[in-house]
Amino acid sequence: MITNNIKKYLAAGFVCCGLSVALSSCTDFLTIYPTDRIVGENFWKNKSDVDQMVDGCYLSMINSEIQTRAIIWGAYRSDELVKLSSYNNTTLDNINALNILPTMGYCSWEHFYKVINNCNIVLNHAPEVMELDPEFTEGDYQVVRAQMLALRSLCYFYLVRAFRDVPYITHSVEDDSQVEYLPQSAPGEVLQYCLDDLQEARKYIMKSGGYGENDWRNWGYITLDAVDAIMADIYLWRASMTHSNEDYQKVVECVDKVIDSKDAYYKLNNTDKIGTGEEDRYHLLTGLTALLQLFHPDYQNSRESILEWQYNGVNNSNSALESHYYKMNKDATDGTLMASKIFNSIEATANKAQGQKVYFSENDYRFWNNVYKVDVNNTEAEQLPIRKMVYAESSPTVTTASMNKSSSRSFDNYQQNWIVYRITDLMLMKAEALVAMATDADAAKLTQAFNLVQVVNKRSMVKNAKDSLNVTDYPTKDDMELLVLAERERELCFEGKRWFDLLRYCYRGMEGVDIFETLNSQATAPKLRKQMTEFITRKYKAGEGDAVTYKMDIEPYLYWPVLESEMKVNNLLKQNPVWIQEKSTSKN
């Protein structure tokens, strides 16, 4: 765990370098105002200059625009979130109806390319500091370089998942003469570059826990465990598109490295309660303790976490998460987004197949922690206030009493880390990969996958609860695949994962996907599997989802269009073929 006081050092570093890295930009992703004040003769002289720029890169990553896109791109497009019914926002309405137009601000990739450019600036100038400051050693440089390669790769991975085909650049743009217009590259090329950079980063990146006990950098900086987590995620994404067992096996290997690393670190720093069973390798927190330490603002950076963006609520506030999940303004009672009706009540059969509800037991602490039930007797409520990452009170007990929303949390100085990766996320990635590699006759892989899901599920159940998962309810590969997908929703809801989970699920049922061809180069767009659209549209009222189902039929619909203003600046860019400005994509 880490307290608010420890994170003040990070905030101070961000403040001192804030002016030097808050690069402004025009609408084009590479049109960045000159940064002479950063790279001029008075900068890049000593180790402190490099450290400030590294902190600045992380600062640019916790920008509210990026946090907003993590929520909108990764969660709102899925079945888990809906717009607050009383909130008037045509853009969010159109996204729900799949009337996504290239004039929408959410189609902007500008802020991710700002982070990428900041990383490239550090990679470009850090070597010269070694020649000027003996305190900035080769070892220091290699650690900095590794972090920048990894952070840049994570940004590109976000962009690939949102847009599929994106421009790839590794040189810094520091004045107008360096602006270069590039076309999009296909995901196969971009993801391979990322994996190559991450492999290089592994050689020099700081080991997890290497910054010392309770140091925020063990979670706030990218460490070895975070590199392996990003690699596992990229391999899983690519494997789903290509159906590559080799990549699925890489997922297993990357996740095992993280599990082994965290296991070794835990055993090194704890002498009691260390078991020898398979479940004991994960050292998961249990029950209410887990929910409190993962999501309560007074804790965070728990032993389960791998990478968290740090917000201390003083120098930096997670205003994007606050406005979407807690309150849209100080006088409001709700955020702009609400949990959909799939979180409203339990469904006893949901453990056997992906049903209409997320949970199958009231004994699951997450059933009470993730949303406010408001009125548990109203099973027809279309939306519920989000509780996860919002509450200020201690975690709830499991009860059928009404769970009215609390507004006791302060609106000002909103301290709430955003978890990018944590160990249960990785465990379920491994389970997903194992199922994908298995056949119905491959009992060993399917059982191994089930055991991982069971560990995650069991730790969130009331002690001695009798309604835990049973492996006999999942006799086939398809059953087990749905179980993993359902458990990821129970465990990771509202954390920006669900839309990408659904895309991977969809890709595993698609044929003809070519990751080395851009969308505009494909003669025929691959068809989506029907069940994918069923998951997307299940949050809508009867009849309203039909139009969305009609439109969600081929691969390009999975992605955002390129922002229109970007297209005007860079004529090498090609628009997503299914999105055009002149008319909406509504069914005629």
Side-chain angles (χ1 to χ4, degrees):
M1 295 183 296
I2 189 166
T3 63
N4 202 25
N5 291 331
I6 297 174
K7 289 189 283 185
K8 287 182 179 178
Y9 175 78
L10 175 62
F14 282 173
V15 169
C16 73
C17 66
L19 292 178
S20 65
V21 298
L23 305 180
S24 299
S25 76
C26 300
T27 54
D28 175 55
F29 80 98
L30 289 181
T31 306
I32 301 174
Y33 288 127
T35 56
D36 295 339
R37 63 185 181 278
I38 297 176
V39 298
E41 60 183 15
N42 295 322
F43 208 81
W44 300 111
K45 296 295 185 181
N46 53 53
K47 183 177 184 295
S48 177
D49 291 339
V50 178
D51 290 342
Q52 288 181 31
M53 282 300 297
V54 169
D55 280 350
C57 290
Y58 285 105
L59 172 63
S60 58
M61 194 69 197
I62 67 169
N63 182 286
S64 62
E65 293 291 337
I66 286 183
Q67 180 65 80
T68 292
R69 280 156 182 76
I71 293 170
I72 299 298
W73 292 355
Y76 182 66
R77 285 200 71 184
S78 76
D79 54 354
E80 69 182 16
L81 291 176
V82 294
K83 190 202 71 173
L84 175 68
S85 57
S86 60
Y87 177 52
N88 184 20
N89 188 294
T90 302
T91 298
L92 293 179
D93 288 336
N94 281 331
I95 293 172
N96 259 357
L98 210 66
N99 293 328
I100 302 180
L101 302 175
T103 52
M104 290 178 173
Y106 295 124
C107 300
S108 173
W109 54 31
E110 170 190 352
H111 293 279
F112 281 95
Y113 277 107
K114 279 186 180 180
V115 182
I116 290 168
N117 193 64
N118 287 345
C119 292
N120 289 340
I121 288 174
V122 175
L123 291 168
N124 184 33
H125 290 282
E128 64 196 49
V129 178
M130 286 189 291
E131 301 176 4
L132 301 173
D133 184 359
E135 291 189 5
F136 187 61
T137 66
E138 173 72 21
D140 293 329
Y141 163 68
Q142 292 295 355
V143 171
V144 166
R145 176 172 173 264
Q147 287 193 70
M148 297 298 96
L149 290 175
L151 184 57
R152 186 177 71 185
S153 297
L154 179 59
C155 288
Y156 275 122
F157 186 40
Y158 270 106
L159 292 170
V160 167
R161 287 178 293 176
F163 297 95
R164 191 186 188 275
D165 310 325
V166 297
Y168 184 79
I169 183 171
T170 58
H171 70 264
S172 60
V173 177
E174 300 169 29
D175 60 55
D176 290 338
S177 67
Q178 295 173 326
V179 173
E180 179 183 1
Y181 299 113
L182 297 173
Q184 293 112 312
S185 296
E189 182 179 0
V190 176
L191 294 180
Q192 188 58 57
Y193 285 142
C194 293
L195 290 169
D196 291 343
D197 280 348
L198 290 164
Q199 285 287 9
E200 181 68 14
R202 286 196 90 258
K203 300 175 185 177
Y204 305 103
I205 201 81
M206 186 72 75
K207 288 185 177 180
S208 302
Y211 289 103
E213 187 177 3
N214 287 338
D215 193 304
W216 59 267
R217 291 172 294 182
N218 291 320
W219 298 271
Y221 277 177
I222 293 179
T223 61
L224 183 58
D225 283 356
V227 168
D228 286 332
I230 299 168
M231 292 183 72
D233 212 358
I234 292 176
Y235 278 124
L236 188 60
W237 183 267
R238 190 170 74 174
S240 299
M241 296 182 79
T242 63
H243 309 166
S244 166
N245 279 354
E246 181 179 353
D247 277 354
Y248 281 126
Q249 183 57 41
K250 289 287 187 182
V251 176
V252 173
E253 293 169 5
C254 289
V255 172
D256 282 343
K257 287 175 183 176
V258 177
I259 292 172
D260 291 343
S261 170
K262 293 184 81 66
D263 181 33
Y265 184 81
Y266 183 86
K267 290 176 178 176
L268 182 66
N269 292 277
N270 295 272
T271 57
D272 61 338
K273 298 181 180 179
I274 297 177
T276 58
E278 175 64 22
E279 292 185 18
D280 299 311
R281 294 179 61 213
Y282 311 116
H283 308 289
L284 298 185
L285 301 161
T286 56
L288 297 175
T289 301
L291 303 177
L292 188 69
Q293 294 193 19
L294 281 166
F295 304 116
H296 196 280
D298 289 343
Y299 296 91
Q300 307 179 110
N301 287 332
S302 78
R303 71 174 185 239
E304 288 191 22
S305 276
I306 298 167
L307 180 62
E308 296 191 15
W309 300 140
Q310 308 287 308
Y311 296 88
N312 75 351
V314 179
N315 304 97
N316 52 75
S317 297
N318 198 341
S319 58
L321 184 147
E322 178 184 38
S323 63
H324 288 308
Y325 290 174
Y326 184 39
K327 296 180 181 180
M328 67 181 79
N329 58 60
K330 196 167 188 175
D331 298 324
T333 56
D334 291 300
T336 61
L337 305 179
M338 303 281 277
S340 72
K341 63 183 179 181
I342 65 176
F343 292 92
N344 196 21
S345 60
I346 65 169
E347 183 169 62
T349 58
N351 61 326
K352 189 162 186 177
Q354 184 89 10
Q356 292 297 308
K357 302 293 181 183
V358 173
Y359 297 99
F360 62 88
S361 171
E362 289 186 354
N363 288 321
D364 192 329
Y365 286 115
R366 298 167 301 185
F367 176 71
W368 302 99
N369 180 79
N370 291 341
V371 300
Y372 288 102
K373 299 300 181 288
V374 182
D375 181 1
V376 294
N377 294 317
N378 181 8
T379 59
E380 301 303 317
E382 295 292 329
Q383 49 185 238
L384 301 95
I386 295 169
R387 191 173 195 275
K388 190 178 193 178
M389 298 179 282
V390 166
Y391 62 86
E393 72 276 13
S394 358
S395 239
T397 57
V398 175
T399 173
T400 56
S402 177
M403 289 293 296
N404 292 318
K405 181 177 180 181
S406 169
S407 298
S408 62
R409 184 166 182 172
S410 173
F411 183 83
D412 297 324
N413 305 323
Y414 197 78
Q415 175 205 351
Q416 185 67 52
N417 283 3
W418 178 259
I419 301 176
V420 184
Y421 291 109
R422 53 192 179 96
I423 191 63
T424 51
D425 184 5
L426 272 287
M427 292 167 65
L428 295 172
M429 286 187 199
K430 179 179 176 180
E432 185 176 325
L434 288 167
V435 173
M437 287 189 289
T439 64
D440 283 340
D442 196 345
K445 282 189 175 67
L446 294 177
T447 300
Q448 190 179 359
F450 174 83
N451 290 341
L452 285 162
V453 174
Q454 177 74 299
V455 171
V456 175
N457 186 274
K458 185 178 179 180
R459 74 83 170 263
S460 292
M461 287 290 178
V462 175
K463 189 175 181 179
N464 300 322
K466 300 184 182 301
D467 47 2
S468 60
L469 300 172
N470 189 326
V471 68
T472 58
D473 289 331
Y474 311 94
T476 69
K477 174 177 177 173
D478 288 345
D479 291 332
M480 200 66 72
E481 182 182 33
L482 289 171
L483 170 65
V484 175
L485 185 62
E487 190 63 30
R488 283 187 63 85
E489 174 72 336
R490 287 187 279 269
E491 178 71 11
L492 303 167
C493 62
F494 319 133
E495 295 182 44
K497 306 284 183 178
R498 177 63 170 177
W499 177 253
F500 304 135
D501 288 354
L502 290 174
L503 262 60
R504 291 196 309 272
Y505 174 73
C506 182
Y507 270 123
R508 286 194 294 272
M510 293 172 64
E511 299 296 335
V513 176
D514 190 340
I515 64 171
F516 291 102
E517 291 285 344
T518 62
L519 291 174
N520 277 278
S521 300
Q522 297 182 109
T524 303
K527 288 280 188 179
L528 273 65
R529 68 194 298 181
K530 181 180 179 182
Q531 198 157 5
M532 168 67 175
T533 59
E534 291 174 353
F535 285 144
I536 293 172
T537 59
R538 69 178 182 157
K539 71 179 179 181
Y540 300 103
K541 296 178 181 178
E544 291 184 359
D546 294 343
V548 177
T549 304
Y550 171 86
K551 289 180 287 189
M552 184 65 73
D553 61 345
I554 54 175
E555 184 187 10
Y557 281 111
L558 302 176
Y559 297 99
W560 293 84
V562 180
L563 190 67
E564 180 191 41
S565 54
E566 303 274 9
M567 300 287 297
K568 290 180 178 178
V569 173
N570 181 0
N571 60 13
L572 296 179
L573 297 176
K574 302 296 183 183
Q575 186 57 272
N576 183 322
V578 301
W579 306 118
I580 55 176
Q581 183 191 5
E582 286 74 21
K583 59 182 180 179
S584 78
T585 56
S586 297
K587 182 178 179 181
N588 294 321

